[in-house]
Amino acid sequence: MITMHQLSKIFRTPDQDIAAVDTLDLSINEGEIFGIIGYSGAGKSTLVRLLNMLEQPTAGQVTVGDKNMSELKGRELRKARQEISMIFQHFNLLWSRTVKDNIAFPLEIAGMSKQEKDSRVNELIDLVGLTGRGDAYPSQLSGGQKQRVGIARALANNPKVLLCDEATSALDPKTTDAILELLTDINKKLGLTIVLITHEMHVIRKICHRVAVMEEGRIVEQGNVLEVFRYPQEDMTKEFVKQITEPEETMDAVYELIDDENGPVVKLRFVGEDAEQPVMTELVRHCGVGVNILQGKLSKTQHGSYGTLFVQLQGDDEHLKEALRFLEEHRVKAEVLQHD
């Protein structure tokens, strides 16, 4: 659906040339939710603007569907952009217009008749969960409702691709989850390809099928979200995965509990179906060890579950060795933690 080949964007200044996007290759499949994650300055926002040619590439090409966006000009480019919509961190609504009028704006530009326009606007209001709020102004809406208006407006012309540039960064966690659920629902109902730019691994974990990690203008790692969670290769990826699996406050609390006299503290990782099996019950039953559960978390991804559990194992050396072998045989990755 979307292909980037040797894509580069260099910003030239009097002092230096800055490669915001550096000879990047990436493919995104039709109908998938693809996440691009990176810290500020990684080049994410520049990349997403290259997809709809709001930024012209210095080199390389972008193909969306069967169109080479890099070669389009004028009317052809404007027509191609109608199939690529975008939502933003700060909503970009027209504050003097009602919800209905905000959503209708791209339909007015497209020259749609009033009857068709009104029907389409009402359909979109229902789709994004704003029934009854059509006559409200943006100042009368919550942050989540404003983003729902932004999503409805982006869908007005039946695009094939939806670009989301930090679309949940200005929202609280509960509202973020509600918007992510809405995007998932839209993806399933409309078969829409969604490209989601973020610096939050929670957003990736919640709805994305695949993810690419971006650093200094390059893609340093990519893959199925669950596999990236399971086997992060790059240091940058490991940092992002820890946002979900090993929050700093969790690790501080766990390290305070390390006490060799009471048995080793072990970090266990469960992936996919293994995360939902009664492995710990079987461990106690078969290996004769005591298990003191210290901390645990189970996260859902689009491709399965990912669980992290911190336990203290109690027993003699032979039983402890047997327990670690048992965990390995049951595809549970076990790491005995030590004080730094």
Side-chain angles (χ1 to χ4, degrees):
M1 180 62 184
I2 301 173
T3 304
M4 289 156 265
H5 178 65
Q6 294 291 287
L7 189 64
S8 294
K9 178 63 180 180
I10 298 174
F11 293 101
R12 305 191 187 282
T13 71
D15 298 324
Q16 62 179 328
D17 291 346
I18 300 171
V21 175
D22 189 359
T23 55
L24 183 147
D25 292 307
L26 188 65
S27 294
I28 297 170
N29 299 324
E30 183 175 0
E32 78 174 330
I33 305 178
F34 192 96
I36 300 173
I37 190 168
Y39 291 122
S40 296
K44 309 184 303 297
S45 292
T46 301
L47 176 61
V48 80
R49 290 170 64 84
L50 288 168
L51 294 182
N52 56 10
M53 293 294 119
L54 290 177
E55 291 283 358
Q56 290 292 322
T58 306
Q61 67 181 43
V62 177
T63 304
V64 179
D66 58 354
K67 297 182 179 70
N68 184 344
M69 300 293 292
S70 320
E71 294 179 348
L72 301 180
K73 304 290 181 184
R75 184 178 179 183
E76 284 186 328
L77 179 57
R78 289 193 295 273
K79 186 176 180 181
R81 280 179 177 154
Q82 290 180 359
E83 298 184 348
I84 308 170
S85 282
M86 194 166 180
I87 58 174
F88 306 88
Q89 179 178 358
H90 296 296
F91 322 124
N92 288 18
L93 301 181
L94 301 169
W95 295 90
S96 62
R97 286 177 167 242
T98 64
V99 168
K100 284 183 178 179
D101 290 339
N102 265 281
I103 298 170
F105 186 61
L107 301 176
E108 292 172 9
I109 294 173
M112 185 176 285
S113 71
K114 185 179 186 308
Q115 184 176 357
E116 289 178 309
K117 182 180 65 179
D118 290 346
S119 174
R120 179 64 176 154
V121 167
N122 289 330
E123 177 187 342
L124 289 165
I125 285 175
D126 291 342
L127 177 66
V128 301
L130 287 175
T131 304
R133 302 292 285 162
D135 294 323
Y137 287 87
S139 61
Q140 299 171 310
L141 303 177
S142 67
Q145 289 172 328
K146 290 171 188 171
Q147 194 56 284
R148 288 173 186 268
V149 177
I151 293 169
R153 182 183 59 188
L155 297 176
N157 281 319
N158 293 303
K160 295 178 180 177
V161 176
L162 179 63
L163 307 177
C164 307
D165 189 6
E166 299 281 7
T168 60
S169 294
L171 306 175
D172 62 73
K174 185 176 180 180
T175 306
T176 291
D177 284 347
I179 293 298
L180 294 177
E181 288 170 7
L182 174 60
L183 291 173
T184 302
D185 188 50
I186 288 169
N187 168 256
K188 291 177 180 176
K189 284 182 178 177
L190 306 181
L192 196 65
T193 302
I194 298 178
V195 181
L196 198 150
I197 303 293
T198 185
H199 64 275
E200 300 171 299
M201 200 63 180
H202 165 76
V203 172
I204 299 294
R205 188 269 301 173
K206 187 86 175 177
I207 69 169
C208 293
H209 301 110
R210 290 193 299 142
V211 61
V213 181
M214 198 168 180
E215 183 178 15
E216 296 182 350
R218 292 177 175 269
I219 299 297
V220 297
E221 188 166 350
Q222 63 176 298
N224 173 293
V225 170
L226 188 59
E227 288 303 305
V228 169
F229 265 67
R230 187 174 189 176
Y231 301 117
Q233 301 297 313
E234 301 294 325
D235 289 342
M236 177 67 65
T237 313
K238 292 174 183 176
E239 285 185 31
F240 280 120
V241 170
K242 282 183 178 181
Q243 289 181 5
I244 301 297
T245 61
E246 300 173 30
E248 188 173 336
E249 60 273 16
T250 295
M251 295 307 298
D252 289 344
V254 167
Y255 277 115
E256 286 181 6
L257 294 170
I258 295 178
D259 179 357
D260 294 336
E261 292 184 4
N262 292 319
V265 173
V266 182
K267 181 179 77 173
L268 307 177
R269 283 194 291 168
F270 306 81
V271 180
E273 294 180 359
D274 300 331
E276 300 168 10
Q277 301 303 313
V279 175
M280 300 313 295
T281 302
E282 296 299 315
L283 176 71
V284 173
R285 183 179 299 164
H286 290 285
C287 300
V289 294
V291 177
N292 181 21
I293 295 176
L294 306 177
Q295 295 260 10
K297 185 172 185 179
L298 182 66
S299 299
K300 294 280 189 181
T301 76
Q302 291 292 313
H303 293 284
S305 301
Y306 182 101
T308 305
L309 186 66
F310 295 91
V311 300
Q312 192 165 45
L313 298 180
Q314 298 166 340
D316 59 39
D317 287 346
E318 277 305 311
H319 284 111
L320 291 174
K321 289 178 182 177
E322 184 181 350
L324 293 174
R325 283 195 299 269
F326 178 89
L327 291 168
E328 183 178 352
E329 290 168 0
H330 285 76
R331 297 182 297 180
V332 177
K333 186 171 182 179
E335 178 187 353
V336 179
L337 302 181
Q338 306 288 341
H339 281 294
D340 293 335

